[in-house]
Amino acid sequence: MNVSATLNAFRLLRTPSLCLPHATISTFNDLPVPLSNAFGNGKADIRAVVLDKDNCFAVPKENVVYKPYMDKFNSLLTHYPPPHLLIVSNSAGTSSSDAFGTDASSLSSATGIPVLQHSTKKPGCGPQILQHFLTAPGSRVTSADQIAVIGDRLFTDVMLANLMGSWSVWLKDGVVETRNQFVSWERKLPERLMRYGLKATPPG
């Protein structure tokens, strides 16, 4: 159970726009690089990127890049080399699902990217992410609004970005088609909320 997501979901009752993305694309292959181009306003200065794993650039429960996405993944890695690229997963690297760090180590070895070790799952691990980018040797990040979070889930990845004061990119289709009824409902939420005039608040 993701206690962090459950607790933070109550914030949506007061501020439903927390689950709305700043940019929406279909799949990982549709990512613009550099990512500042995703937001189309000339205001975003993206210096670092947080990547979700499952159904973002990898098949769920697999610790390798989905082969059709390899070229785009390498392009992103070239433009945002470590320490400016970080994988944050609610499976690999979490103390509850990956207590010994086996999956995190395997994933990092396969991708060449560090995997955040965190005790609080998304969307509640923003402080750890920001601390990583602010203190990593060679990092050019000085504030949260220089970070973009990429993922396929509104209540974890997108909400994480909004709570951090960062930019969010929502992959609405992911790697594989979901059969989870909650996820299917979640994916219809942005359109419903925007009908009421709600939109994501830009960072800063």
Side-chain angles (χ1 to χ4, degrees):
M1 179 180 178
N2 186 346
V3 176
S4 173
T6 301
L7 293 176
N8 278 289
F10 288 105
R11 297 190 183 199
L12 294 175
L13 298 175
R14 183 175 70 251
T15 314
S17 60
L18 283 172
C19 71
L20 291 178
H22 299 102
T24 300
I25 60 176
S26 178
T27 70
F28 190 83
N29 260 351
D30 298 304
L31 281 173
V33 180
L35 271 176
S36 299
N37 295 334
F39 308 105
N41 54 19
K43 297 179 181 179
D45 176 22
I46 305 302
R47 303 182 185 183
V49 177
V50 172
L51 281 178
D52 177 39
K53 177 181 79 76
D54 293 330
N55 225 20
C56 176
F57 67 83
V59 173
K61 299 183 180 180
E62 293 187 7
N63 290 329
V64 295
V65 179
Y66 182 51
K67 192 172 181 179
Y69 293 171
M70 186 60 75
D71 287 345
K72 179 64 70 172
F73 190 90
N74 287 334
S75 175
L76 196 66
L77 181 57
T78 298
H79 201 86
Y80 300 98
H84 299 104
L85 197 54
L86 179 68
I87 295 172
V88 181
S89 168
N90 272 353
S91 52
T94 62
S95 57
S96 58
S97 301
D98 187 24
F100 298 103
T102 305
D103 286 336
S105 178
S106 173
L107 181 59
S108 184
S109 296
T111 61
I113 299 173
V115 177
L116 185 72
Q117 301 279 352
H118 52 297
S119 55
T120 302
K121 290 187 174 184
K122 295 179 290 185
C125 57
Q128 287 180 268
I129 294 171
L130 186 57
Q131 180 71 7
H132 167 86
F133 285 124
L134 291 176
T135 61
S139 175
R140 297 174 52 245
V141 174
T142 58
S143 61
D145 62 354
Q146 296 166 344
I147 301 169
V149 179
I150 301 170
D152 71 306
R153 297 297 306 277
L154 296 171
F155 287 0
T156 54
D157 304 306
V158 170
M159 194 169 178
L160 164 70
N162 285 323
L163 289 172
M164 286 176 60
S166 300
W167 296 91
S168 59
V169 179
W170 179 43
L171 309 182
K172 65 184 181 68
D173 296 318
V175 180
V176 297
E177 184 178 355
T178 183
R179 295 182 180 180
N180 185 301
Q181 290 186 342
F182 177 78
V183 175
S184 297
W185 172 84
E186 182 189 65
R187 289 179 176 176
K188 297 174 183 177
L189 192 57
E191 182 179 354
R192 292 172 179 172
L193 292 177
M194 287 188 288
R195 287 176 185 170
Y196 292 94
L198 295 176
K199 59 182 179 179
T201 302

